[in-house]
């Protein structure tokens, strides 16, 4: 049965979630405090680059099932309220800032109907759901017993729509007092994907909150594991790509997320592992997660190694040398530059005196906003022209498909450092390039 749902917080998660809920047939009221963002989305323009999102908006907006507002009061009619606000890292601290989650919950509480269900989707430190429910209860109307569930999302930027409508599992963290009714209502929300056989796990608040951060901690660990192997390969003359293929063939290990290179960035993995460590410390379980400090450190070392490799290739100094950085986004198919390894390396080269030009097919706008002093362009030819070294730092298809025979005619010196192990070594070397990569032997 189609429901009326509100989606509060229209960032990466919320904008995709709202559009997907409308596409599943629900009536959606999307709420955000940012009037500019709301106006853009209502006009069919997504404020982020996410493949398929503009097309999805064009499909659902004419149905009238997706409306936007800046007023929480407009969400009062909803059967289900999704909280999708951000939980960024606190300024100067490893812990997550959950103030937006509490502000939204407390703001919504007086408008709640007795039969409505609030569903948290934001990534939060364990314990937040229980605290939020108590705080909302204090502000709810008399006679209303607040119903809250935690339903983490696992969306990967660049695949956000598929990950929302067909994730590989649904996780419901529910209150034992209202368990059956809450599960039944969530099952109605996700009736379409559930009918396709999608598994769902029903558990308590704490486990549901932990599932999300544990999944991200595991993924970050997997990436740092292969990057640690990359360091050993560099010392021993081994090839980390062949090593990843070989260990990844064992299905207990799996090849996914064994992509060695400049490591992980983005709005989730780095801040989630730090917030997880901080929360474990508060709970007295800090020893259990000290290994994540090492995971974070390995990740950062890869960025410095990239700068060192560039310096080494340029004869010992980056001063006044023309460096082309391919990629600004933290990963391909996204314009997100939050904690982007590519921009970090570009900035470090610039600080060391290099003349850096950054190219990205989609993230030039966000890169300029984050680093106004970095020269950024969407023109690949212009970016390559005159380069004394090319650093590939985001594995966009455009770079993987680039003809090395064309690129070699533009640069001053044909040296490429492949920071994502994304290029075909043979064809780049055959076109006259000196090819270096992280964790691979130099020829
Ligand atoms: C991540 C989780 O994958 C997702 O489930 C969660 O909901 C949010 O956080 P996302 O941040 O979109 O998603 O990116 P992801 O695809 O996980 O990549 C994270 C970073 O790791 C990127 O910088 C990527 O380039 C890097 N990465 C990924 C590697 O360095 N090697 C790999 O093998 C895979």
């Amino acid at each position: 049965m189609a429901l009326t749902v509100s989606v509060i917080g229209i960032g990466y998660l919320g904008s995709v979630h709202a559009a997907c809920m409308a596409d599943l047939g629900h009536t959606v009221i999307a709420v955000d405090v940012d009037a500019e963002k709301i106006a853009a989305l209502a006009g069919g323009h997504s404020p982020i680059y996410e493949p398929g999102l503009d097309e999805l908006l064009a499909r659902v907006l004419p149905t009238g099932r997706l409306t936007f507002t800046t007023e929480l009061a407009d969400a009062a009619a909803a059967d289900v309220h999704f909280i999708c606000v951000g939980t960024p890292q606190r300024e100067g601290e490893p812990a997550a800032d959950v103030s937006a989650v509490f502000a939204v919950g407390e703001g919504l509480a007086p408008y709640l109907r007795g039969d409505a269900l609030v569903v948290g989707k934001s990534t939060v430190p364990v314990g937040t759901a229980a605290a939020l429910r108590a705080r909302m209860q204090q502000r709810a109307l008399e006679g209303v017993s607040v119903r809250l569930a935690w339903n983490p999302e696992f969306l990967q930027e660049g695949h956000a729509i598929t990950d929302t409508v067909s994730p590989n599992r649904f996780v419901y963290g529910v209150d034992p007092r209202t368990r059956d009714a809450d599960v039944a209502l969530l099952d109605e929300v996700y009736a379409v994907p559930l009918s396709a056989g999608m598994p769902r796990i029903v558990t308590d608040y704490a486990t549901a909150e932990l599932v999300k951060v544990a999944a991200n901690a595991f993924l970050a660990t997997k990436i740092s594991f292969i990057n640690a192997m990359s360091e050993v390969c560099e010392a021993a003359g081994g090839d980390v790509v062949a090593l990843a293929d070989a260990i990844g063939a064992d299905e207990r290990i799996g090849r996914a997320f064994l992509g060695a290179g400049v490591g992980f960035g983005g709005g989730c993995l780095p801040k989630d592992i730090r917030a997880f460590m901080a929360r474990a410390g508060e709970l007295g379980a800090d020893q259990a997660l000290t290994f994540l400090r090492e995971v974070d450190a390995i990740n950062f070392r890869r960025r410095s190694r990239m700068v060192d490799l560039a310096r080494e290739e340029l004869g010992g100094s980056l001063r006044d040398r023309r460096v082309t950085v391919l990629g600004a986004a933290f990963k391909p198919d996204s314009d997100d530059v939050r904690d982007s390894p590519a921009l970090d390396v570009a900035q470090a080269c610039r600080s060391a005196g290099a003349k850096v030009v950054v190219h990205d097919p989609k993230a030039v706008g966000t890169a300029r906003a984050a680093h106004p002093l970095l020269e950024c362009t969407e023109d690949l030819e212009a970016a390559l022209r005159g380069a004394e070294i090319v650093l590939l730092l985001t594995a966009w298809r455009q770079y993987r498909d680039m003809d090395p025979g064309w690129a070699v005619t533009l640069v001053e010196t044909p040296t490429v450092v492949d920071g994502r192990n994304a290029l075909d070594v043979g064809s780049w070397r055959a076109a006259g390039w000196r090819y270096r990569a992280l964790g691979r032997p130099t020829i």
Side-chain angles (χ1 to χ4, degrees), residues 280-303:
E282 287 168 6
L283 294 167
D286 43 332
Q287 274 192 333
L289 298 188
T290 43
F291 74 95
L292 288 177
R293 210 171 296 153
E294 200 51 44
V295 166
D296 209 10
I298 293 165
N299 196 49
F300 270 106
R301 282 209 297 273
R302 292 286 79 191
R303 300 181 188 187

Side-chain angles (χ1 to χ4, degrees), residues 154-157 212 223 257 259 264-265 268 330-331 420:
F154 304 100
L155 70 82
Q156 256 183 295
E157 296 187 17
K212 176 59 194 270
I223 298 168
F257 274 68
F264 59 82
C268 293
F330 83 104
K331 67 173 201 179
R420 291 291 180 186

Side-chain angles (χ1 to χ4, degrees), residues 33-387:
V33 287
D34 185 340
E36 221 172 287
K37 207 188 273 181
I38 284 290
L41 279 158
H45 306 291
S46 121
I48 48 163
Y49 172 72
E50 177 62 35
L53 184 55
D54 279 339
E55 293 80 350
L56 179 56
L57 287 170
R59 190 161 72 234
V60 294
L61 284 172
T63 65
R65 287 199 302 271
L66 175 58
T67 53
F68 296 90
T69 176
T70 53
E71 299 299 327
L72 266 178
D74 294 339
D79 307 300
V80 179
H81 300 274
F82 287 103
I83 298 182
C84 296
V85 290
T87 51
Q89 191 173 336
R90 279 190 217 152
E91 195 69 36
E93 282 179 62
D97 177 356
V98 287
S99 56
V101 173
F102 286 128
V104 158
E106 289 174 352
L108 179 67
Y111 302 111
L112 279 182
R113 287 187 345 225
D115 61 343
L117 176 66
V118 181
V119 181
K121 290 198 80 69
S122 307
T123 302
V124 291
V126 58
T128 304
L132 177 66
R133 196 193 162 282
R135 283 164 78 154
M136 291 182 76
Q137 190 58 60
Q138 283 175 358
R139 286 161 181 82
L141 296 179
E142 214 168 305
V144 170
S145 174
V146 173
R147 287 170 63 189
L148 175 74
W150 218 263
N151 169 223
E153 53 73 33
F154 304 100
L155 70 82
Q156 256 183 295
E157 296 187 17
H159 310 271
I161 295 171
T162 329
D163 287 352
T164 301
V165 289
S166 48
N168 34 32
R169 76 293 205 190
F170 287 108
V171 175
Y172 303 169
V174 292
D175 182 337
R177 292 167 298 183
T178 49
R179 178 190 167 107
D180 292 347
D182 296 352
V183 169
L185 195 47
L186 277 166
D187 280 353
E188 270 187 62
V189 172
Y190 298 123
V192 176
L194 286 172
S195 68
M198 212 60 70
R200 69 154 160 66
I201 292 152
V202 179
T203 181
D204 51 74
Y205 285 166
T207 309
E209 292 167 315
L210 284 169
V211 165
K212 176 59 194 270
V213 281
N216 278 356
F218 190 86
L219 294 172
T221 304
K222 210 172 170 193
I223 298 168
S224 278
F225 174 84
I226 201 64
N227 282 332
M229 295 306 108
S230 191
E231 291 185 357
V232 179
C233 281
E234 280 162 19
D239 181 341
V240 75
V241 176
L243 182 133
D245 288 342
I247 64 170
D250 181 334
E251 64 181 21
R252 291 170 305 171
I253 296 173
R255 181 65 173 83
F257 274 68
L258 286 182
V262 277
F264 59 82
C268 293
L269 300 192
K271 72 122 175 132
D272 286 354
I273 59 169
R274 291 169 205 150
F276 198 13
M277 281 185 274
R279 185 66 186 130
E282 287 168 6
L283 294 167
D286 43 332
Q287 274 192 333
L289 298 188
T290 43
F291 74 95
L292 288 177
R293 210 171 296 153
E294 200 51 44
V295 166
D296 209 10
I298 293 165
N299 196 49
F300 270 106
R301 282 209 297 273
R302 292 286 79 191
R303 300 181 188 187
S304 330
R305 170 70 180 146
M306 191 71 199
V307 179
D308 291 345
L309 254 181
R311 187 182 288 111
E312 185 185 310
E313 284 299 320
L314 290 169
S317 171
L318 285 152
R319 181 149 299 280
D320 295 325
R321 309 303 293 273
R322 228 328 242 109
V323 175
T324 294
V325 167
L326 296 182
F330 83 104
K331 67 173 201 179
D333 295 321
S334 169
D335 64 353
D336 196 341
V337 297
R338 284 177 292 171
D339 206 344
S340 166
L343 282 187
D344 219 8
V345 169
Q347 189 57 47
C349 290
R350 191 178 172 276
S351 301
K355 292 179 274 182
V356 180
V357 179
V358 179
H359 173 271
D360 195 284
K362 296 287 177 195
V364 160
T366 44
R368 282 197 188 119
H371 292 276
L373 297 178
L374 269 178
E375 188 180 335
C376 301
T377 176
E378 279 171 10
D379 182 341
L380 184 56
E381 194 175 321
L384 289 169
R385 192 163 289 125

